[in-house]
Amino acid sequence: MAYVIGVGVTKFEKPLTREWDYPDMGRESGTQALADAGIRYDDVEAVVASYCYGEPTCGQRAAYELGLTGVPIFNTNNNCSSGSSALMLAKQLVASGTYNCVMALGFEKMERGLSEKYTEKISPVKRHMDHMVDIGAKPGLIKPQFNTMTSDVIKLFAYAAREYMEKNKNCQLNDFVNVAYKNRKQGEQNPSACFQKAPSKQKIRDRELCHPIYSGMAAPTADGGACVIVCNQAFIQKHALYARAVEIVAQHMVTDMPTSFGRSFIDLSGFSMAKRGADKCYRDSGLKPTDVDVLEVHDCFSCNELLMYEALGLTDDAVHAFNSGIWRRNNNGGSLYHIADKWVVNPSGGLESKGHPIGATGLAQCAELVMQLRGEAGKRQVDGAKVAMQHNFGIGGAAVVTLYKKPEFTHRSKL
């Protein structure tokens, strides 16, 4: 078993608006996580760092801000799922018995848009983007001001959204607008979010990028850091951390399968990968979708969140489930949207509100769910939340799905 005992998240910032660098992000989020757990960096036996835009060993440089203890430091890069990949490696290092306590530390200092740096080499996503054109996407840039990487990513999810609209005739442009608006409204309650004031629905759809995606439906790049500390039961007992612990009850990563390169834009953008990951998590944990109370879902675009309602097993009709939802006030005076009058998705505001510092995103999702299960999320709190699910996706590709719950330690002295 493995447990999260400490989390930390910096405020996410628009790129080039704050004077700081990735070591600052690592120090700030790591210090927060250590304080949250009530332990010292000397208690951490290994670190897994996640980032995409940086040279080798950036993880060492960031972690050295916390101390020079000589512990192993591993660096991981899995595109937008880098943070969850780091979390999964930390969890595996603990669950295997190799270490008692491992830190996952994610950070990113970004540009205003996506880019590729090593253009003299074959792009790891070229196969995906070539296949997108092979199955019917229009080649070329969607806008002349965008680079190829930014353009292709938007285009991929736009064509997936078009495919879904053909499949579900009830799906309209306004459904994607409403999901984006829901996330931006919930983001108003998150002091760490990049955007803390929701635009009007009209503003969300005032600038088309690639039909049916408009600028207000897209997650912006951001600078920021996040940190999660994972440990085993013996460490919890030694440091009396029962009240802080949240159990990782199931976790799976799924990479591309033959379905990714079939005839579906939806599967090319990660649907089947998410579904398989979720199915495996439900199988391993014995939990069902109806047991889940709160989710953090990879809303790189609002249309992808809608698709994930189906991939993660919440419903067979995402549009109907969303439109049958209701806004409710919680006990802390906040307001949250309950999809199908049941699930709260992205109470943090999601990537659309927080911004998307790639190496930190998956760990920030985890941090939000840990706070939710502890009852520490303030105005974002899902009252009575006991089970949480996380979905994080990176093109190229990897989907990581994780289930969490607040454990009940009945025999603390015998852990």
Side-chain angles (χ1 to χ4, degrees), residues 333-401:
S335 185
L336 298 166
Y337 191 72
H338 294 250
I339 294 158
D341 202 15
K342 162 64 179 169
W343 297 280
V344 176
V345 179
N346 289 334
S348 68
L351 282 61
E352 293 170 80
S353 290
K354 291 183 298 182
H356 185 19
I358 292 178
T361 287
L363 294 171
Q365 289 179 315
C366 170
E368 176 69 23
L369 296 176
V370 167
M371 288 186 282
Q372 290 285 346
L373 296 181
R374 289 176 179 168
E376 297 175 349
K379 288 190 175 182
R380 306 186 310 282
Q381 182 64 47
V382 178
D383 293 331
K386 295 180 180 178
V387 176
M389 174 173 266
Q390 176 187 354
H391 163 260
N392 191 201
F393 173 69
I395 296 172
V400 184
V401 181

Side-chain angles (χ1 to χ4, degrees), residues 65-277:
E65 293 292 307
L66 303 171
L68 295 169
T69 58
V71 298
I73 299 174
F74 307 94
N75 293 278
T76 185
N77 171 343
N78 241 357
N79 268 351
C80 297
S81 62
S82 294
S84 288
S85 300
L87 175 65
M88 186 171 188
L89 290 170
K91 180 248 187 187
Q92 297 284 22
L93 288 169
V94 167
S96 68
T98 306
Y99 301 109
N100 294 304
C101 180
V102 178
M103 171 182 285
L105 184 66
F107 45 83
E108 211 74 72
K109 184 176 176 66
M110 298 195 68
E111 301 169 346
R112 291 193 175 110
L114 303 174
S115 63
E116 291 186 299
K117 299 300 183 184
Y118 300 104
T119 55
E120 75 281 7
K121 300 180 176 69
I122 294 174
S123 167
V125 299
K126 184 178 187 300
R127 178 175 179 178
H128 299 74
M129 300 316 182
D130 286 350
H131 188 70
M132 174 177 65
V133 173
D134 289 345
I135 62 175
K138 183 179 178 180
L141 299 177
I142 60 171
K143 301 282 184 183
Q145 65 268 33
F146 290 151
N147 64 36
T148 299
M149 185 65 171
T150 300
S151 177
D152 281 350
V153 169
I154 296 170
K155 187 191 302 182
L156 173 58
F157 286 95
Y159 274 83
R162 294 181 199 181
E163 182 182 325
Y164 185 74
M165 294 173 84
E166 283 295 314
K167 171 186 168 186
N168 186 341
K169 298 299 185 181
N170 292 323
C171 184
Q172 305 294 322
L173 175 62
N174 276 341
D175 295 309
F176 303 139
V177 173
N178 289 336
V179 172
Y181 181 75
K182 179 267 295 181
N183 287 333
R184 295 297 296 274
K185 283 297 291 183
Q186 291 181 165
E188 289 184 334
Q189 301 166 144
N190 185 355
S192 295
C194 198
F195 299 106
Q196 297 180 10
K197 183 171 176 56
S200 67
K201 292 182 181 181
Q202 183 59 42
K203 183 71 173 175
I204 287 172
R205 59 176 296 178
D206 73 348
R207 185 165 66 93
E208 185 178 80
L209 301 178
C210 183
H211 182 76
I213 292 177
Y214 286 70
S215 60
M217 305 173 189
T221 58
D223 294 348
C227 183
V228 173
I229 300 173
V230 181
C231 74
N232 59 18
Q233 292 182 346
F235 193 89
I236 290 172
Q237 181 181 16
K238 179 179 178 180
H239 295 271
L241 296 171
Y242 308 104
R244 310 307 294 157
V246 168
E247 184 179 355
I248 302 173
V249 293
Q251 186 174 55
H252 282 279
M253 177 191 292
V254 180
T255 57
D256 286 297
M257 302 175 291
T259 50
S260 298
F261 301 101
R263 303 300 301 174
S264 168
F265 296 105
I266 291 174
D267 283 333
L268 183 58
S269 61
F271 183 95
S272 293
M273 297 158 69
K275 184 179 187 306
R276 176 176 285 194

Side-chain angles (χ1 to χ4, degrees), residues 11-75:
K11 187 180 185 305
F12 290 177
E13 307 280 4
K14 296 178 185 178
L16 310 177
T17 62
R18 177 178 170 183
E19 289 294 324
W20 62 340
D21 209 331
Y22 71 91
D24 305 305
M25 302 167 195
R27 180 180 63 252
E28 187 176 328
S29 60
T31 300
Q32 287 181 24
L34 291 166
D36 184 56
I39 63 172
R40 301 171 302 144
Y41 184 63
D42 287 349
D43 297 315
V44 174
E45 298 174 5
V47 177
V48 184
S50 61
Y51 61 95
C52 287
Y53 292 95
E55 298 295 331
T57 68
C58 284
Q60 277 86 331
R61 180 62 184 86
Y64 289 170
E65 293 292 307
L66 303 171
L68 295 169
T69 58
V71 298
I73 299 174
F74 307 94
N75 293 278

